[in-house]
Amino acid sequence: MINIVLPVDFGDKTEQLVDGAVKFAKQLNGRIFLIHVAPSDIGFAIGDMGYQYFPEVEANEIRDELIQLNKIEQRILAHDVDCEHLLKQGIAKDTILEYAKAKNADYIVMGSHGRSGIYDVFVGSLTKGLTKDSHIPVLVLPIHD
């Protein structure tokens, strides 16, 4: 069976990305390893009293993201594609590559929003970073309008 790692960010194009990954998995008789990487600083804020940590904010955000991840997993399973998920905090590129290695992935499926130029200079592109550093194929699906 082909192992496919599918990172999701819960953006407005996530459904389109999931649909493409499901279609790809069905064509290859693959299983999907769904991952969402939450930032390590979710519960931190800068205010009048300086840099503060709010564990309840972090817990609520993680709980909400886990609910979203479970819904996506159920949607994939409803298409008769085997799926499991992981929510982990960390640096997205490194965490995704570690997960792909741990799951012996054959592919990483990513979406491309079609941004370029100045956006990539200042923000960077996770997809670009993964394609540069991955030792396994990265399938990039166009998910822009």
Side-chain angles (χ1 to χ4, degrees):
M1 185 168 276
I2 300 296
N3 294 333
I4 301 165
V5 168
L6 176 62
V8 293
D9 64 1
F10 309 129
D12 60 345
K13 301 295 183 182
T14 297
E15 284 189 28
Q16 192 176 347
L17 176 62
V18 170
D19 290 344
V22 166
K23 183 177 178 182
F24 182 62
K26 283 181 153 284
Q27 290 173 343
L28 298 177
N29 187 32
R31 86 180 106 197
I32 293 177
F33 293 96
L34 190 61
I35 183 170
H36 173 70
V37 182
S40 298
D41 61 355
I42 283 180
F44 290 94
I46 299 175
D48 295 341
M49 298 180 66
Y51 202 58
Q52 294 179 300
Y53 174 63
F54 299 96
E56 64 280 356
V57 171
E58 182 177 67
N60 287 337
E61 185 69 24
I62 293 294
R63 184 175 45 253
D64 291 346
E65 290 178 349
L66 190 54
I67 289 169
Q68 291 181 68
L69 202 56
N70 282 321
K71 286 180 183 177
I72 295 170
E73 179 185 30
Q74 292 307 310
R75 190 165 158 237
I76 293 168
L77 291 170
H79 287 281
D80 294 323
V81 173
D82 190 24
C83 182
E84 67 180 62
H85 71 268
L86 174 69
L87 188 150
K88 189 168 183 179
Q89 286 182 276
I91 298 169
K93 184 184 77 164
D94 297 340
T95 303
I96 292 164
L97 290 173
E98 288 169 12
Y99 188 57
K101 185 176 180 179
K103 292 301 179 182
N104 197 28
D106 298 290
Y107 295 94
I108 298 172
V109 174
M110 295 289 297
S112 171
H113 295 280
R115 297 181 184 121
S116 61
I118 296 297
Y119 178 85
D120 282 343
V121 170
F122 290 107
V123 178
S125 169
L126 177 58
T127 301
K128 185 188 292 183
L130 282 170
T131 56
K132 180 180 170 240
D133 293 342
S134 179
H135 296 288
I136 62 169
V138 177
L139 174 65
V140 181
L141 302 177
I143 57 170
H144 44 85
D145 294 325

